Amino acid sequence: MVIRDWSSDVCSSDLMNKQVHNKGSSSKDIILKTFWRDNEHFADLFNAALFNGSQIIKPDQLVEIDSDTSAIIKSDDYNESIKRNRDVVKKMFDGVEFTILGLEIQDKTHFAMPLRTMTYDTLGYIKEYNNIKKQHKLNNDSLPSSESFLSGITADDRFHPIITLVLYYGETLWTGPLNLSDMMVDMSSYMKSLFSDYHLNLIQILDSDKYTFYNDDVRNLFNITKNIYKEDIEAIYSQYQSDNVDPEVIELISVITDTPQLLELCSNHKNGGNTMCNAFRNLEAQWTERGKQEGRQEGIACEKINSIITMLELGITKEQILTKYSLEEFNKAEESLLQNRVSQ
């Protein structure tokens, strides 16, 4: 695998130190949002997730907008300001009109995600509704009917559609609801037919084989991240022996998968050091060593449990055993001994 040259800015020691050592969620969020703010990346993600790879959304149609979807909900006896910020929001222009596209980024399953994204969409509509009403007042428009006066808008006013996509990059498959109805108690068929459901548009990195990507960076991000999660280095070797991988993608993969050693490629590659495949071979060696250590630890734990079982069978008291072993080890041995007796 070949790494394209890092620019001097990207390889600056200050930036590297920030990215290697600052692993907080805020740092990860910034790097993720920066990548997906790129129109090429954003468009390819939405096209893969929502249109089976068809190039419906064009990068040159996209303009980033304010991610603040806060709105005030008012009624005669109720007034509440709800503040929400989305991860990335863009307008997709289609002639004179536009659609609002929102991206939410998740590293863990959220069991209220349909409700959460529905709230984002609703607040977006409320915000536009309030803006239309405000514009009518500023223009001193004469509302043509009592119905218009009541609502503050006219029958000809129209809103712009909002479509939200959730990108889930966790190392296990999504286990949360995919529809608002999944969060409801059991409903009769009569109620189900009347229930206004809300569907969650979800794309997850572990399902990368299901999607058709045309942007190399997005495809590489999904494929390499998935294979790192699966600890399948051979798949990376077979797919990327000679392919170019952008350093920004490597940086993002390193942050998502918590493998900071990949960031060392920056200085190493600039100095004629390790190639991409060498870095993954080193990573594979670490996984192998970790597996050996876990195996050794498991073997030691089993020996302790067996020793405690032997002591129990010899009639040695619990108090005497706890002078040498922990309470957790004693409980496990006692449980194992009980299971053996039941199975006999």
Side-chain angles (χ1 to χ4, degrees):
M1 185 184 294
V2 180
I3 304 290
R4 294 205 291 272
D5 287 340
W6 294 79
S7 67
S8 58
D9 289 340
V10 174
C11 279
S12 68
S13 59
D14 289 344
L15 181 59
M16 284 292 292
N17 287 334
K18 287 180 183 178
Q19 291 166 346
V20 171
H21 298 295
N22 184 1
K23 296 182 182 178
S25 59
S26 61
S27 176
K28 181 183 290 188
D29 287 345
I30 291 170
I31 295 172
L32 279 161
K33 290 175 184 178
T34 299
F35 181 85
W36 293 113
R37 282 192 179 111
D38 180 280
N39 285 351
E40 298 280 347
H41 300 159
F42 189 93
D44 199 50
L45 181 72
F46 269 73
N47 286 330
L50 305 180
F51 305 111
N52 295 320
S54 298
Q55 301 300 286
I56 304 299
I57 300 173
K58 306 294 194 301
D60 59 4
Q61 295 176 304
L62 299 173
V63 175
E64 188 162 357
I65 60 175
D66 186 6
S67 61
D68 183 7
T69 58
S70 301
I72 298 176
I73 300 176
K74 293 182 178 180
S75 66
D76 292 340
D77 56 355
Y78 185 82
N79 189 338
E80 182 177 356
S81 176
I82 301 178
K83 295 184 178 181
R84 294 289 187 276
N85 281 283
R86 314 201 71 166
D87 289 331
V88 184
V89 187
K90 293 181 183 287
K91 283 183 180 178
M92 183 192 76
F93 285 92
D94 186 11
V96 296
E97 293 298 349
F98 61 86
T99 298
I100 296 175
L101 304 176
L103 176 63
E104 297 303 315
I105 305 170
Q106 288 289 126
D107 65 341
K108 292 181 175 61
T109 295
H110 194 302
F111 292 115
M113 204 66 201
L115 178 61
R116 182 178 172 182
T117 54
M118 184 178 71
T119 301
Y120 284 136
D121 294 351
T122 301
L123 290 174
Y125 292 127
I126 292 173
K127 186 175 183 178
E128 185 170 22
Y129 170 55
N130 289 336
N131 287 338
I132 293 173
K133 289 196 299 181
K134 182 179 179 181
Q135 196 60 48
H136 281 309
K137 287 184 179 180
L138 291 174
N139 295 340
N140 292 317
D141 293 335
S142 177
L143 297 177
S145 66
S146 59
E147 289 83 4
S148 293
F149 182 80
L150 178 65
S151 62
I153 62 176
T154 71
D156 295 326
D157 286 324
R158 293 291 181 269
F159 295 4
H160 293 88
I162 301 173
I163 298 172
T164 298
L165 175 64
V166 176
L167 167 62
Y168 170 62
Y169 63 89
E171 56 184 308
T172 58
L173 288 172
W174 180 268
T175 57
L178 296 175
N179 298 282
L180 185 63
S181 57
D182 296 335
M183 300 174 60
M184 301 294 113
V185 298
D186 290 339
M187 293 182 283
S188 67
S189 57
Y190 303 106
M191 292 298 126
K192 283 183 179 180
S193 64
L194 298 172
F195 181 74
S196 297
D197 209 351
Y198 177 93
H199 176 68
L200 182 68
N201 296 311
L202 177 75
I203 182 171
Q204 48 186 332
I205 278 186
L206 284 180
D207 277 344
S208 63
D209 294 340
K210 296 181 180 179
Y211 309 118
T212 302
F213 299 111
Y214 288 94
N215 182 274
D216 289 339
D217 292 342
V218 177
R219 184 191 309 112
N220 292 339
L221 171 65
F222 269 68
N223 289 342
I224 295 174
T225 301
K226 180 196 69 175
N227 286 320
I228 288 178
Y229 280 154
K230 294 170 62 178
E231 298 191 0
D232 189 354
I233 296 298
E234 291 304 322
I236 298 176
Y237 292 159
S238 64
Q239 295 178 42
Y240 295 97
Q241 280 290 343
S242 59
D243 289 355
N244 289 335
V245 179
D246 192 280
E248 182 186 10
V249 176
I250 299 302
E251 174 191 18
L252 186 54
I253 292 170
S254 173
V255 170
I256 288 176
T257 60
D258 194 21
T259 51
Q261 56 268 51
L262 292 182
L263 286 177
E264 297 172 7
L265 288 169
C266 176
S267 57
N268 287 340
H269 178 68
K270 189 176 181 182
N271 296 326
N274 289 345
T275 65
M276 182 67 176
C277 286
N278 285 338
F280 278 110
R281 290 186 193 280
N282 291 336
L283 185 59
E284 183 180 31
Q286 291 179 20
W287 288 339
T288 301
E289 180 59 28
R290 185 184 67 192
K292 290 179 179 178
Q293 290 178 355
E294 291 174 351
R296 286 194 291 268
Q297 291 172 356
E298 185 177 345
I300 293 172
C302 285
E303 287 180 5
K304 289 182 177 181
I305 300 302
N306 289 333
S307 296
I308 295 172
I309 290 174
T310 301
M311 294 171 77
L312 287 170
E313 290 174 337
L314 292 173
I316 299 175
T317 65
K318 176 180 179 179
E319 289 74 16
Q320 290 174 309
I321 294 174
L322 289 179
T323 61
K324 186 175 181 180
Y325 299 99
S326 70
L327 179 61
E328 181 182 2
E329 290 166 343
F330 178 86
N331 290 337
K332 287 182 179 179
E334 200 170 40
E335 182 182 352
S336 179
L337 183 60
L338 179 61
Q339 290 175 349
N340 290 339
R341 288 172 177 172
V342 170
S343 62
Q344 290 174 357

